[in-house]
Amino acid sequence: MTDQPPVHEPTPLRRQLLGRLPLPERTFITDALRTETVGGVLLLAAAVVALIWANAWPHSYESVLDHTVGPSAPLHLDLTLGDWAKDGLLTIFFFVAGIELKREFVAGELRTPSAALLPVVAAVCGVALPAILYSLVNSGSGGHPGGWAIPTATDIAFALGVLAVVGSHLPSALRAFLLTLAVVDDLIAILIIAIFYSSGIKFWALGLAFVGLVLFWFLHRHGVKGWYLFVPLALVIWALMHESGVHATVAGVAMGLMLRCHREGDEQESPGEHIEHLVRPLSAGLAVPVFALFAAGVTISGSTLREVFTQAAPLGIVIGLLVGKTVGIFGGTWLAARFTRAELNPQLKWADMFAVSVLAGIGFTVSLLISELAFQDDLALADRCKTAVLVGSLLCALLATVLLKLRNRHYRELCEEEDRDTDGDGVPDVYQESLHRGNLHQGDGHHGDVRQGDGPAGRERAAGSTRPRPGERPGTGN
């Protein structure tokens, strides 16, 4: 009797970490990040102008910042230009953040628990550890524990602006991870602002704002269109939210979350995606840079920089951004991959994730906002905290630049491979080659092994078409 060869059980596919994105998702990410990159460069420029203006002509800067505009009745909108930038323009930024968050939940990386686990764990760890380190530094006498939330935020626009300035390439998977991380980070920041930095609640105004939000949702879900209806309604909701004592930016997030971000029928883009395409340039190109112009103007001197590293509150911010964000995001990612047995994309290394984690330590826009909210009764301390945010973000940017430059040639090769389209049909060759093998993974392992067939139908779906096949129901979502 002859021995039979051993039968090997098929090895189950392991979920891949930072693998190739589906083509539609990659296209969306590329378009979104292109706008954010331009906005990031403008943000950097606005911050530099603010610093020069505040240090060269401090009285001029303060007088413009404190200039009051707006009616005092009936809703107390006689605000300084600085407050208009903080409470008004940043609402546009958070409105876009709300749309991004909604889209991630219904069509992006957060739509399934297995896909959401990695960025959510990374973001939570990247918020928790900076807050813990800040609190430890400020636990003694002379500390200011109220600023614990300042070093918890990641500024995606500033990070992409740094990448654009230094000429560093990042593969789409790393950029997508950074964007998804920032979206979850924004959600946590929104909750922190709403819960911990709202005071003196006026329930009548909050109730009317809620009624306005219900009306906004009702009109949108019943197909009513027209900016001339929604823009005035949005302004009323914002004004009531501002009057209520809840931070006005929460109104922007709420309206963004109410937009429909899934496609129906033959739609080429959902209403939420369409509105995001219209509003994102306004947010990235105007709202955030103008806020930076009015928020980043702090006096820089030898004594100021010395205080950053000798006083508890600013030192806690620098440590939180540089150490807390880096270790929290990298450690959370590694632990999530370790316990879910996910395999890192073989084209990348854990050193790449570490460099991206350092880059995510750049916390500018939301960190400056929380600095003002946390210490609004102590403007001198708020300015020192803003200086610490600038210093910490600069240190993260410099360190990330060095780490990314070490691998920039490899990144460039990966990007060229992703973008190569020799036949000029709009579908990169790497997707076409997978199609011809009948083995196109419509995902990176985060969403399972969904394969596309050959032929026109498979090619159409690989190119990002959302039109359903005959007999196929359109995608549904909330």
Side-chain angles (χ1 to χ4, degrees), residues 395-466:
L395 291 175
C396 289
L398 292 175
L399 180 57
T401 297
V402 173
L403 295 175
L404 293 172
K405 280 293 187 181
L406 294 175
R407 296 269 288 165
N408 201 39
R409 175 181 292 183
H410 180 63
Y411 296 154
R412 185 182 292 110
E413 292 174 353
L414 292 180
C415 290
E416 289 174 354
E417 179 185 359
E418 290 179 354
D419 295 334
R420 189 178 298 114
D421 182 15
T422 54
D423 56 7
D425 66 348
V427 180
D429 294 345
V430 290
Y431 292 93
Q432 293 279 31
E433 293 166 1
S434 298
L435 268 173
H436 291 314
R437 291 195 303 268
N439 189 30
L440 176 63
H441 292 257
Q442 191 65 288
D444 59 358
H446 292 293
H447 313 305
D449 186 17
V450 182
R451 302 175 187 271
Q452 301 292 340
D454 290 325
R459 192 179 306 278
E460 177 184 333
R461 293 171 73 82
S465 172
T466 59

Side-chain angles (χ1 to χ4, degrees), residues 173-260:
L174 287 175
R175 288 177 178 262
F177 173 80
L178 189 60
L179 179 60
T180 307
L181 176 78
V183 169
V184 180
D185 192 278
D186 284 342
L187 171 62
I188 298 173
I190 292 160
L191 294 174
I192 289 173
I193 290 171
I195 296 172
F196 296 99
Y197 296 105
S198 297
S199 58
I201 305 298
K202 298 178 181 178
F203 289 99
W204 67 267
L206 185 60
L208 290 176
F210 179 78
V211 171
L213 288 171
V214 172
L215 179 59
F216 184 95
W217 175 86
F218 180 84
L219 293 175
H220 175 67
R221 287 307 176 96
H222 284 77
V224 177
K225 298 180 180 180
W227 64 268
Y228 46 85
L229 290 177
F230 285 96
V231 171
L233 177 59
L235 291 175
V236 171
I237 294 170
W238 172 85
L240 289 168
M241 191 69 73
H242 181 272
E243 180 70 13
S244 73
V246 176
H247 199 268
T249 54
V250 175
V253 177
M255 288 184 281
L257 288 172
M258 289 180 175
L259 298 181
R260 177 168 64 82

Side-chain angles (χ1 to χ4, degrees), residues 132-389:
I132 291 171
L133 292 179
Y134 177 94
S135 298
L136 289 175
V137 174
N138 285 267
S139 60
S141 59
H144 297 85
W148 61 271
I150 297 173
T152 60
T154 292
D155 195 311
I156 182 67
F158 204 120
L160 293 173
V162 170
L163 291 178
V165 169
V166 302
S168 179
H169 298 74
L170 270 188
S172 59
L174 287 175
R175 288 177 178 262
F177 173 80
L178 189 60
L179 179 60
T180 307
L181 176 78
V183 169
V184 180
D185 192 278
D186 284 342
L187 171 62
I188 298 173
I190 292 160
L191 294 174
I192 289 173
I193 290 171
I195 296 172
F196 296 99
Y197 296 105
S198 297
S199 58
I201 305 298
K202 298 178 181 178
F203 289 99
W204 67 267
L206 185 60
L208 290 176
F210 179 78
V211 171
L213 288 171
V214 172
L215 179 59
F216 184 95
W217 175 86
F218 180 84
L219 293 175
H220 175 67
R221 287 307 176 96
H222 284 77
V224 177
K225 298 180 180 180
W227 64 268
Y228 46 85
L229 290 177
F230 285 96
V231 171
L233 177 59
L235 291 175
V236 171
I237 294 170
W238 172 85
L240 289 168
M241 191 69 73
H242 181 272
E243 180 70 13
S244 73
V246 176
H247 199 268
T249 54
V250 175
V253 177
M255 288 184 281
L257 288 172
M258 289 180 175
L259 298 181
R260 177 168 64 82
C261 291
H262 66 276
R263 304 177 188 183
E264 296 180 348
D266 292 334
E267 288 181 338
Q268 294 301 311
E269 59 181 2
S270 66
E273 291 172 320
H274 176 68
I275 293 172
E276 182 182 2
H277 290 160
L278 295 176
V279 179
R280 184 186 287 275
L282 179 63
S283 171
L286 176 66
V288 176
V290 171
F291 168 76
L293 181 65
F294 288 129
V298 293
T299 303
I300 301 295
S301 64
S303 60
T304 302
L305 294 177
R306 185 167 57 251
E307 290 174 349
V308 168
F309 295 99
T310 57
Q311 294 188 1
L315 179 60
I317 293 171
V318 173
I319 293 175
L321 291 174
L322 185 59
V323 179
K325 295 293 286 186
T326 300
V327 176
I329 293 171
F330 179 80
T333 304
W334 186 87
L335 288 173
R338 177 71 176 82
F339 286 103
T340 59
R341 297 185 178 181
E343 289 183 337
L344 183 66
N345 182 348
Q347 294 180 314
L348 299 173
K349 298 181 179 179
W350 281 108
D352 301 318
M353 177 57 69
F354 183 81
V356 170
S357 300
V358 176
L359 187 68
I362 297 175
F364 189 78
T365 304
V366 177
S367 293
L368 292 178
L369 172 63
I370 297 179
S371 295
E372 294 189 356
L373 297 177
F375 302 118
Q376 53 188 333
D377 296 328
D378 191 341
L379 298 182
L381 179 57
D383 282 346
R384 288 198 297 274
C385 290
K386 289 182 181 181
T387 304
V389 170

Side-chain angles (χ1 to χ4, degrees), residues 15-16 109-119 336 340 342 445-448:
R15 190 169 62 89
Q16 190 178 88
E109 289 291 290
L110 303 180
R111 71 181 182 274
T112 59
S114 60
L117 179 64
L118 183 68
T340 59
H446 292 293
H447 313 305

